[in-house]
Amino acid sequence: MKKISKLKYLTPLFLSSIIPFFPCLGKGIFSVQQIQRLNEPRMEGISDQFLELNVSGDKEKFQRWDGYYDLDGRMYPGDKGGMLFSLKEAYLQRKLGRSRISAGRKIINWNPHEAFWGLGVLNANRGFSYMDYDREGIVALHFQRTAGRFNFHLFGSFVHIPQVNPTFKIRDNRVESINEWSALPFDAVSFNGTRIPINYTLDEPDIANLVLNESIGANLGYSWDTGGVNAYGTYKPENAIRINAAGYYDPDSEAAEVKAKPFTNHHLVWGAQAKQKVLGLDTAVGMEVDHPRIGSDDSFEFEALKIVPTYTKRTYAYGQVQKNFKYAKVGVHFVELLEGEMSEANTFASKSMWQRAGGLSVDWDVTERLNYFFMGKYDITLGDSLMRNQVSYRFGKHISAKAGFEMVRSEDIRSFWTPFKTNDSVYTSLGYIF
């Protein structure tokens, strides 16, 4: 009863914190979700309820420009709760004949495999859950033009908004997460044969150093009636923030004192994709290279223990076959890590999600009101697997409900998914559509 009461009073607070920024809400859904966990959670105190608001604004005339935005907010009640926010897209766009100019945050659809596998190389992941397909675009001035069968997209910017979800916070020298999709660092370490706790402190970065970073990118495509090819390259900040850390043993506290400071690092990304319709099937293949630069933060002072990120060049190969039926869409997907080690040495380093994996997606409108969704992924090399089954139903014009379950399997310590293997859950949701 106590949790339900908190939700009751948090609902108007949540709405009032979002709505004033968008006088004309457009269309969206406000929902309440209940989670039944099937395993003992890895992190204590994680809420089993949340409130979520998804809003998108239709493209409407603003002077001679069309405006568009798409944002999500999620609030977890409780002492260890908090709020997640994602502005996926927000831009103004003007059409000039065969050209389009856009200013703001916009998703670039240069890699058709990116959304399913969620690698977050070009666009950032929304990050509320790694089961999601949602992405966050690149803040820039975008120029797009078509000329016959050719199409061209160029962007440039001096502003970068990093991916901040899934997020965590430091309280009482301990790192805590708002939800179960944060991979938290170790809370203890061995020292002289004894297990000692780690006390974390955050060295607050200069926001300007995180946000004011340049980016530039270009994509050239050529299409024909049944397919097309494109090639792209970009130099931009990595979507995820890097972290430097330093530490030492404090005999007074009998703990390892670790100070961490986030910073922004750039990377080069280039790739090529090809699409072709074959016997009614939409096929696509491609490759992508993610080559991080070796960054540094001169303002950070290292101590006895120095922990710096590792920089690994990764090359991915993709393939997919999709079939669009009248009321359903079915896809078979594949990804392989051709270059780049699977795991790195320290807790603040990044890991590739997949080594060699196949996937299946099904989106089926069973009736006008009933929808079935399935997503499954399996790593052939590591044995990792993810699965989501979901059924949703729309009651009239304004009420919707959904129910489903999610499962994560991971036994290899090298795997990106190991911290999330206790995230199996059954969930139900009730939403108001507006």
Side-chain angles (χ1 to χ4, degrees):
M1 292 299 292
K2 186 177 180 181
K3 288 184 178 179
I4 295 175
S5 176
K6 283 185 177 182
L7 273 176
K8 177 181 177 182
Y9 293 112
L10 281 171
T11 300
L13 176 62
F14 176 77
L15 287 172
S16 64
S17 66
I18 295 293
I19 292 176
F21 292 98
F22 301 91
C24 180
L25 280 179
K27 57 183 179 180
I29 181 171
F30 171 71
S31 58
V32 181
Q33 181 156 312
Q34 177 72 37
I35 304 170
Q36 179 63 49
R37 305 189 188 281
L38 304 181
N39 301 312
E40 186 69 27
R42 183 173 55 92
M43 293 171 284
E44 297 181 358
I46 297 296
S47 177
D48 56 6
Q49 298 168 326
F50 63 78
L51 312 174
E52 184 160 306
L53 181 65
N54 313 107
V55 182
S56 61
D58 293 330
K59 297 178 180 179
E60 298 179 351
K61 287 292 183 183
F62 177 76
Q63 299 293 339
R64 297 181 180 180
W65 296 74
D66 296 325
Y68 180 76
Y69 68 87
D70 188 357
L71 68 91
D72 299 331
R74 181 181 292 184
M75 176 172 281
Y76 291 86
D79 295 336
K80 293 188 177 181
M83 185 171 178
L84 302 176
F85 179 80
S86 173
L87 184 60
K88 294 183 289 188
E89 290 190 288
Y91 59 88
L92 295 174
Q93 180 171 276
R94 185 177 178 182
K95 294 183 180 180
L96 300 170
R98 292 177 295 177
S99 302
R100 283 180 292 171
I101 299 175
S102 308
R105 188 168 211 178
K106 188 173 185 179
I107 292 173
I108 55 174
N109 293 304
W110 298 350
N111 182 349
H113 314 275
E114 181 181 62
F116 181 84
W117 291 111
L119 295 176
V121 176
L122 284 174
N123 302 280
N125 291 318
R126 183 183 73 157
F128 288 8
S129 164
Y130 288 120
M131 292 285 186
D132 292 343
Y133 288 175
D134 295 286
R135 297 173 292 166
E136 297 175 337
I138 295 175
V139 177
L141 182 64
H142 300 261
F143 175 78
Q144 295 168 265
R145 182 174 177 83
T146 58
R149 295 184 179 273
F150 287 94
N151 61 84
F152 178 71
H153 185 170
L154 173 70
F155 73 82
S157 178
F158 291 99
V159 177
H160 167 64
I161 300 179
Q163 177 182 327
V164 296
N165 301 313
T167 189
F168 59 86
K169 56 187 176 183
I170 297 178
R171 181 168 62 175
D172 299 329
N173 299 124
R174 294 289 179 265
V175 182
E176 297 179 351
S177 173
I178 293 175
N179 75 1
E180 64 271 30
W181 292 101
S182 292
L184 301 183
F186 299 116
D187 58 4
V189 66
S190 294
F191 180 75
N192 290 337
T194 304
R195 196 77 171 164
I196 61 172
I198 301 177
N199 293 332
Y200 288 97
T201 57
L202 181 65
D203 188 351
E204 293 283 354
D206 186 346
I207 298 300
N209 291 337
L210 293 179
V211 174
L212 300 181
N213 285 278
E214 71 281 359
S215 62
I216 188 171
N219 174 74
L220 179 63
Y222 180 82
S223 61
W224 52 89
D225 293 341
T226 58
V229 293
N230 71 291
Y232 55 87
T234 175
Y235 174 76
K236 67 179 187 65
E238 293 177 307
N239 296 315
I241 294 173
R242 296 273 188 169
I243 295 179
N244 280 321
Y248 62 93
Y249 174 71
D250 186 349
D252 296 329
S253 63
E254 296 184 340
E257 302 291 336
V258 173
K259 177 179 65 176
K261 184 177 181 181
F263 71 98
T264 298
N265 186 64
H266 281 72
H267 63 159
L268 288 166
V269 180
W270 65 92
Q273 311 291 333
K275 297 183 288 185
Q276 177 65 44
K277 186 176 285 290
V278 179
L279 300 176
L281 301 175
D282 295 317
T283 66
V285 296
M287 58 82 63
E288 186 173 72
V289 179
D290 177 11
H291 192 176
R293 305 290 86 191
I294 300 178
S296 63
D297 181 4
D298 296 333
S299 66
F300 187 73
E301 297 181 3
F302 288 101
E303 300 179 35
L305 174 63
K306 182 178 181 180
I307 306 173
V308 297
T310 53
Y311 301 89
T312 304
K313 178 184 176 183
R314 296 190 176 105
T315 302
Y316 298 95
Y318 303 96
Q320 71 180 28
V321 178
Q322 292 186 331
K323 175 66 176 178
N324 292 319
F325 299 93
K326 186 175 182 180
Y327 299 109
K329 183 177 182 180
V330 179
V332 177
H333 312 261
F334 178 79
V335 64
E336 180 164 5
L337 180 67
L338 300 177
E339 179 185 11
E341 297 180 6
M342 188 60 198
S343 63
E344 277 74 20
N346 67 65
T347 187
F348 294 113
S350 65
K351 292 184 179 182
S352 175
M353 290 183 177
W354 307 103
Q355 188 158 338
R356 178 181 294 146
L360 175 66
S361 60
V362 178
D363 192 350
W364 178 23
D365 290 325
V366 183
T367 69
E368 189 176 290
R369 298 177 180 271
L370 179 64
N371 174 267
Y372 170 72
F373 175 81
F374 172 84
M375 180 274 292
K377 305 174 186 179
Y378 178 73
D379 194 305
I380 301 167
T381 301
L382 298 178
D384 298 335
S385 62
L386 275 71
M387 182 172 63
R388 169 185 274 183
N389 266 288
Q390 178 180 289
V391 176
S392 58
Y393 190 82
R394 184 163 178 165
F395 298 88
K397 185 177 180 180
H398 293 293
I399 304 300
S400 70
K402 66 181 179 181
F405 69 88
E406 298 177 343
M407 299 183 68
V408 180
R409 291 287 178 268
S410 178
E411 301 300 333
D412 196 312
I413 196 171
R414 298 175 299 162
S415 171
F416 171 90
W417 301 102
T418 299
F420 313 115
K421 64 181 182 181
T422 61
N423 286 9
D424 299 351
S425 65
V426 176
Y427 60 89
T428 56
S429 176
L430 183 65
Y432 174 76
I433 303 169
F434 54 90

